[in-house]
Amino acid sequence: MKKLLTGNEAIARGAWEAGVVVCTAYPGTPSTEITENAAKYDEMYAEWSPNEKVALEVGLGASIAGGRALVSMKHVGVNVAADPLFTLSYTGVNAGLVLVSADDPGMHSSQNEQDNRHFGRAAKIPVLEPADSQEAKDFTKLAFDISEMFDTPVMLRTTTRVAHSQSLVELADREEKETKEYQKNPSKYVMIPANARHRHVVVEDRLIKLKDYAESTDLNRVEWNDTKMGVITSGVTYQYVKEALPEVSILKLGMTFPLPRKMIIDFADKVDQLYIVEELEPFIEEYVTSWGLDVHGKDTFPLIGELLPETIASKMVQTFGDCSPRETTEPNQLQYEVPPRPPVLCPGCPHRGLFYVLNKLKVTVAGDIGCYTLGCLAPLKAIDTTICMGASIGTAIGMEKAKGKDFARNLVAVIGDSTFIHSGITALVDVVYNKATTTTIILDNRITAMTGHQHNPTTGFTVKGEPTKEIDLILLAKAVGVERVQVVDPFELDELEKIVREELAAEEPSVIITQRNCALIDKSRNSPYIVSAAACTGCLRCLKLGCPCIAKEGKKVRINLAQCVGCGLCATVCPSEAIRKEGGAND
Amino acid sequence: MTDITNILIVGVGGQGTILASRVLAGAVQMTGQDVKVSEIHGMAQRGGSVVTQVRYGKEVASPIIPEGEADIILAFEKLEALRWLPYLKKDGSILINDQRIDPMPVVVGTAQYPSDVLDIIKKERKEVFIINGLGKAVEAGNGKAVNVVLLGLLARYLKIDKQTWLDVIRETVPSKLLEVNLKAFEAGWNSFDR
């Protein structure tokens, strides 16, 4: 039976069919749904790990002990997991271990658009790239076989368009596997220098064997057509080439590290003109040109952003002329201006109150990754920096050390509950240890909201929905040595402002925990608020909240009743008491 | 691959475009055709402009629709209809929910919401269907079912057997919301009037 699945659902299914017993991850677009779906299978243990490094470490533990393990993360997550990854390449595995790196060309929801095939090459592990959901499932299963065949972790690299696109997938049954026998083997698994030196030799030897494998595996295949032009491509880009240029010959690479050198040279020999079409980096191209072949790649196609079928066709026509692209329609550009629609904090979002206060106090804010990053946008404009998961607190420490304590009196770090657990804790330890006075605000909305409401160690539930011990952020902050810890409801604006002022003034480390449920999980929906036109003076202070429900109408404001969740923050900031609970319609 | 039907579903994050695209893809699958769906989420969930793309036919390669090649756009919001209009073929059809949701730049007064969105679209394309989706969803019992109202309209337009749609909705929608959604679908189905 064929089922319509996203690439992420297909990877979870592939892991299940491959007899995987442990699935770990930290949520991150576009990888999140792999683990959400893996958690639905009873035969597999699944967890949200505190961060990607831990996720990989749990996976490698399972693998060394003898159970197949799938570890998933977004591209930037691999940066966090890189430390164990590079050494894991040396130890190899026992049962299969597959690391999914979900890259995000075009940065639909990311802070950069790195190409993680480079990580595969740098760690010297094989990289597989599926082109649709069927391949996502098939390659996942094959990746486990390759992992065991060559005693190596394997990277399965997807991109947003593979991860989040749905296509038809033929399902199969689970291959139940006995977990492999565990044998103590320190020379393989204890990477003291003496052992690691031997293992590096093994890694290089393995790479030679993998190169041979790349020449013969079905993962790489040629689709012969007109030989005037040959295209080498991988991943979803293969589908774009098929669509844009139905008459060219294609070398489709399912394995992009190591590359099948003989196969590529042979393909190049048989076509008049060779093109490499790949998203982001010239990864394949650099190898191919180093072998002395004459190719067109990044001289023709963009290095930045997603590739599109129409871009491929038009660039090809420009440089080659006769490549018989499929007929396309010329899009007609609109002559009208359409205002942009940037994402915003939701109606009732608990972060709104905090950012309103920080904006009002004109505080310098070192920000972090999560929904609350949207606090950087107008009208709140309350965030100065956003670098990576967990960077806010360290950034604030650096600012203070460079500019002094006076600067720190007007400086805070903001970080979400999940992000704080991910990699904020260590920087908070640094605040205390290295005598900074930084005020850290933990925006505790009781869930990992940005990626779609995943549990984390502060929520009291696992990915399977089982109750578990809940981390107490107050005790945790005190345990690392912060003596000033205050908890406040971010919608109690006066109280919040008072506390922020107190902690900014205090010349010692402090933590403020702003605590209120994410508006999207808060079931206690109140009746909406309305504006009394008679009482509204048109001061527009409520618009500074950036609430999508409040709009300007003439000189006054109006609340969209269908969207308003009744948080009442607007009533709190209204100086003329013109906003009140609904009794009738807007008057 | 010229026999591919391309449908773009556009709207504002939170309006339920993704569920609608999944039901559409499910219905298409039941007709035995190849189908691919592409959706972008993450940041876009938070009230941003969202688009999902559904392509079906004998064989579909790319999951995304080239600009200017959509046969149909189903728009959940007026301004989004205008934003994505260049994706619609010259002779394509656009089905629009007559609802206005102000983007933040409009809310804070740094941009204008064009007052004549529907007129502009009517001038650009011949087949324009406009429906009060929100009103019909409220009538059906829940304003949130506006996505299924619009799906009903699209369903009638696509001429895929009605029972197929109902079967997929039964499979997709949580049981406690099923009755409202079936009513909403019916309302959309009945609003088709050429």
Side-chain angles (χ1 to χ4, degrees), chain A residues 385-541:
Chain A
T385 65
T386 302
I387 311 298
C388 70
M389 288 288 288
S392 61
I393 303 174
T395 306
I397 299 170
M399 286 177 157
E400 175 177 351
K401 295 299 180 187
K403 304 282 279 184
K405 284 195 167 32
D406 277 351
F407 190 83
R409 264 193 282 277
N410 196 38
L411 167 70
V412 299
V414 296
I415 187 164
D417 46 342
S418 185
T419 315
F420 177 70
I421 297 296
H422 178 281
S423 46
I425 298 172
T426 41
L428 187 62
V429 171
D430 196 44
V431 171
V432 177
Y433 175 61
N434 282 308
K435 304 177 183 179
T437 65
T438 306
T439 300
T440 300
I441 305 182
I442 303 176
L443 290 76
D444 181 11
N445 63 355
R446 318 301 298 153
I447 203 77
T448 311
M450 179 91 248
T451 43
H453 297 124
Q454 289 75 30
H455 286 292
N456 69 55
T458 70
T459 69
F461 291 93
T462 70
V463 66
K464 300 240 182 194
E466 297 155 348
T468 183
K469 196 93 175 167
E470 182 182 319
I471 281 190
D472 184 327
L473 288 172
I474 303 171
L475 287 177
L476 179 60
K478 292 203 164 162
V480 305
V482 178
E483 281 165 24
R484 302 179 65 98
V485 183
Q486 303 208 52
V487 182
V488 60
D489 178 346
F491 278 5
E492 300 291 337
L493 293 181
D494 292 341
E495 179 69 9
L496 175 64
E497 185 177 332
K498 187 184 121 241
I499 289 175
V500 171
R501 282 179 188 278
E502 272 170 26
E503 300 308 335
L504 283 173
E507 261 198 32
E508 60 177 297
S510 54
V511 167
I512 302 169
I513 302 169
T514 60
Q515 203 167 59
R516 184 181 259 255
N517 282 350
C518 168
L520 296 180
I521 54 169
D522 193 352
K523 302 286 183 234
S524 60
R525 193 186 164 92
N526 296 308
S527 57
Y529 279 71
I530 56 163
V531 182
S532 156
C536 178
T537 61
C539 74
L540 306 184
R541 188 173 295 179

Side-chain angles (χ1 to χ4, degrees), chain A residues 139-175:
Chain A
F139 285 20
T140 301
K141 292 169 80 170
L142 191 55
F144 281 103
D145 294 340
I146 293 171
S147 172
E148 288 171 6
M149 222 183 322
F150 293 94
D151 190 9
T152 176
V154 174
M155 176 184 283
L156 184 78
R157 185 227 184 200
T158 66
T159 54
T160 303
R161 295 294 180 181
V162 172
H164 283 171
S165 291
Q166 300 166 55
S167 56
L168 296 169
V169 179
E170 190 71 52
L171 304 182
D173 293 330
R174 177 172 164 95
E175 229 178 285

